[in-house]
Amino acid sequence: ETITKKPGTACIRDTQKHSRPIVKIQDGCEQNCTYCIIPKVRGGYRSTGSIEILKKIKDLEENGFEEVVLTGIHIGKYGVDLKNTYGLDRLIEDIMADTAMKRLRISSIEINEIDDGLLSIILKNRERIAPHFHIPLQSGSDAILSKMARPYTAVSFTEKVSIIRKVLPEITITTDVMTGFPGESDEDFNDTLEMVKKIRFSKLHVFKYSPRPGTRAFEFKDGVEGSVKSERSRKLRECGERSRDLFINKNIGKNHIVAAEMINPESGIASGTSGNYIKIYFRTGPGFEKIRGKLIELTAEEKYKDGLFARYI
Ligand code: SF4
């Protein structure tokens, strides 16, 4: 409550309950993917001015938070509705220059919006920007991507991932994939499965397509049977778990800078998120509240639940 008395801190009321507060930088989407209702519900692109964003981040910083997450409906389009050429890259540059926020994380971003400008700013500030991109793939079949109205091909997506990994070798890439989109044949599904195996995402969220009234895809007549959707989801999840295990195992023995988020009062085990987006569990003394929202350095010792167990260095 003391926080909300400060001027210009309306956002903190919503975000202080998160130990990694979110800062919403834009709203709306005009991409009109055929399965998605968001453009109809949320309207066109509306970006928050940079002065307001910088102020929110400074307020959070003053209140002791050491990681913030930039979010929005379609953050790669940040700035397209603003008058000048100010975009996500320049916003990040200004956050790096004008605030002392220790770590900035970019939430979900579309593949086409990760360009050289953005990569070079991340590279320049790699100590302060979480090495993690969540890039929705949805399908590895060009026919399905086109039916979804997703503006890339399997080849262009794969090539961009290679560029990203070349520039930022430590980057973690996670994704969303949808199964059972209308018209998805066995061949289309196999293309997705092969692509997912090849790219080796660090985490895979698998969704079964479900028709939403009001979307263009709702009118598509060539729906996929429920049992087929389930089987395809199972195969993709299995594949995702294998890549996830490899990724988690590679991180054992490494040091991680972890944003401390919560504590289980019964077990006394705390948890937080590493820069490369792994849930890290650790033991802490009774003074957890002192480190909530702060970045702490831990060494990962072993696999534990959905992440790693670590100890103080
Ligand atoms: S899926 Fe994402 S990019 Fe596509 S229309 Fe919905 S919000 Fe926009």
Side-chain angles (χ1 to χ4, degrees), residues 29-33 35-36 38-39 73-74 110 150:
C29 183
E30 296 169 23
Q31 189 164 289
N32 292 309
C33 302
Y35 53 83
C36 181
I38 286 175
I73 298 292
H74 193 146
E110 294 283 311
R150 302 283 298 164

CSV table of all heavy atoms in Angstrom, one decimal, residues 29-33 35-36 38-39 73-74 110 150, ligand 1:
chain,number,residue,atom,x,y,z
A,29,CYS,N,-3.7,-6.2,-31.6
A,29,CYS,CA,-3.0,-7.0,-32.6
A,29,CYS,C,-3.8,-6.8,-33.9
A,29,CYS,O,-5.0,-6.8,-33.9
A,29,CYS,CB,-2.9,-8.5,-32.2
A,29,CYS,SG,-1.9,-9.4,-33.5
A,30,GLU,N,-3.0,-6.7,-35.0
A,30,GLU,CA,-3.7,-6.6,-36.3
A,30,GLU,C,-3.2,-7.8,-37.3
A,30,GLU,O,-3.4,-7.7,-38.5
A,30,GLU,CB,-3.4,-5.3,-36.9
A,30,GLU,CG,-3.9,-4.1,-36.1
A,30,GLU,CD,-3.4,-2.7,-36.6
A,30,GLU,OE1,-3.0,-2.6,-37.7
A,30,GLU,OE2,-3.5,-1.8,-35.7
A,31,GLN,N,-2.6,-8.8,-36.7
A,31,GLN,CA,-2.1,-9.8,-37.6
A,31,GLN,C,-3.2,-10.8,-38.1
A,31,GLN,O,-3.0,-11.4,-39.1
A,31,GLN,CB,-1.0,-10.6,-36.8
A,31,GLN,CG,-0.3,-11.6,-37.7
A,31,GLN,CD,1.0,-12.1,-37.1
A,31,GLN,OE1,2.0,-11.4,-37.0
A,31,GLN,NE2,1.0,-13.4,-36.7
A,32,ASN,N,-4.2,-10.9,-37.3
A,32,ASN,CA,-5.4,-11.7,-37.8
A,32,ASN,C,-5.1,-13.1,-38.2
A,32,ASN,O,-5.5,-13.6,-39.3
A,32,ASN,CB,-6.1,-11.0,-39.0
A,32,ASN,CG,-6.8,-9.7,-38.5
A,32,ASN,OD1,-7.5,-9.7,-37.5
A,32,ASN,ND2,-6.5,-8.6,-39.2
A,33,CYS,N,-4.4,-13.8,-37.3
A,33,CYS,CA,-4.2,-15.3,-37.5
A,33,CYS,C,-5.6,-15.9,-37.5
A,33,CYS,O,-6.5,-15.4,-36.7
A,33,CYS,CB,-3.4,-15.9,-36.4
A,33,CYS,SG,-1.8,-15.1,-36.2
A,35,TYR,N,-7.1,-18.4,-36.5
A,35,TYR,CA,-7.7,-19.1,-35.3
A,35,TYR,C,-7.9,-18.2,-34.1
A,35,TYR,O,-8.4,-18.6,-33.1
A,35,TYR,CB,-6.8,-20.3,-34.9
A,35,TYR,CG,-5.4,-19.8,-34.6
A,35,TYR,CD1,-5.0,-19.3,-33.4
A,35,TYR,CD2,-4.4,-19.9,-35.6
A,35,TYR,CE1,-3.7,-18.8,-33.2
A,35,TYR,CE2,-3.1,-19.5,-35.4
A,35,TYR,CZ,-2.7,-19.0,-34.2
A,35,TYR,OH,-1.5,-18.5,-34.0
A,36,CYS,N,-7.5,-16.9,-34.2
A,36,CYS,CA,-7.4,-16.1,-33.1
A,36,CYS,C,-8.4,-15.0,-33.0
A,36,CYS,O,-8.7,-14.3,-34.0
A,36,CYS,CB,-6.0,-15.5,-33.0
A,36,CYS,SG,-5.7,-14.5,-31.6
A,38,ILE,N,-8.3,-12.5,-30.7
A,38,ILE,CA,-7.8,-11.3,-30.1
A,38,ILE,C,-7.9,-10.0,-30.9
A,38,ILE,O,-8.3,-9.0,-30.3
A,38,ILE,CB,-6.3,-11.6,-29.6
A,38,ILE,CG1,-6.4,-12.5,-28.4
A,38,ILE,CG2,-5.6,-10.3,-29.2
A,38,ILE,CD1,-5.0,-13.0,-27.9
A,39,PRO,N,-7.5,-10.0,-32.2
A,39,PRO,CA,-7.7,-8.7,-32.9
A,39,PRO,C,-9.1,-8.2,-32.8
A,39,PRO,O,-9.2,-6.9,-32.7
A,39,PRO,CB,-7.3,-9.1,-34.3
A,39,PRO,CG,-6.3,-10.3,-34.2
A,39,PRO,CD,-6.9,-11.1,-33.0
A,73,ILE,N,0.3,-7.7,-26.2
A,73,ILE,CA,-0.4,-8.7,-27.0
A,73,ILE,C,0.6,-9.1,-28.2
A,73,ILE,O,0.7,-10.2,-28.6
A,73,ILE,CB,-1.7,-8.2,-27.5
A,73,ILE,CG1,-2.7,-7.9,-26.4
A,73,ILE,CG2,-2.3,-9.2,-28.5
A,73,ILE,CD1,-3.2,-9.1,-25.6
A,74,HIS,N,1.2,-8.1,-28.7
A,74,HIS,CA,2.1,-8.3,-29.8
A,74,HIS,C,3.3,-7.4,-29.7
A,74,HIS,O,3.3,-6.3,-30.4
A,74,HIS,CB,1.3,-8.1,-31.1
A,74,HIS,CG,1.9,-8.6,-32.4
A,74,HIS,ND1,1.2,-9.1,-33.4
A,74,HIS,CD2,3.2,-8.6,-32.7
A,74,HIS,CE1,2.0,-9.4,-34.4
A,74,HIS,NE2,3.3,-9.1,-34.0
A,110,GLU,N,7.1,-12.5,-32.0
A,110,GLU,CA,7.0,-13.2,-33.3
A,110,GLU,C,8.3,-13.3,-34.0
A,110,GLU,O,9.1,-12.3,-33.9
A,110,GLU,CB,6.0,-12.5,-34.1
A,110,GLU,CG,4.6,-12.5,-33.6
A,110,GLU,CD,3.9,-13.8,-33.9
A,110,GLU,OE1,3.9,-14.3,-35.0
A,110,GLU,OE2,3.3,-14.4,-32.9
A,150,ARG,N,-0.1,-17.2,-40.7
A,150,ARG,CA,1.1,-16.9,-40.0
A,150,ARG,C,2.1,-16.4,-41.1
A,150,ARG,O,2.3,-17.1,-42.1
A,150,ARG,CB,1.6,-18.1,-39.3
A,150,ARG,CG,0.7,-18.7,-38.3
A,150,ARG,CD,0.5,-18.0,-37.0
A,150,ARG,NE,1.8,-17.9,-36.3
A,150,ARG,CZ,2.0,-17.0,-35.3
A,150,ARG,NH1,1.1,-16.1,-34.9
A,150,ARG,NH2,3.1,-17.0,-34.6
B,1,SF4,S1,-2.1,-15.3,-32.5
B,1,SF4,FE1,-1.0,-13.5,-31.8
B,1,SF4,S2,-0.2,-12.6,-33.7
B,1,SF4,FE2,-1.9,-14.0,-34.2
B,1,SF4,S3,-3.7,-12.7,-34.2
B,1,SF4,FE3,-3.6,-13.6,-32.2
B,1,SF4,S4,-2.5,-12.1,-30.9
B,1,SF4,FE4,-2.2,-11.6,-33.1
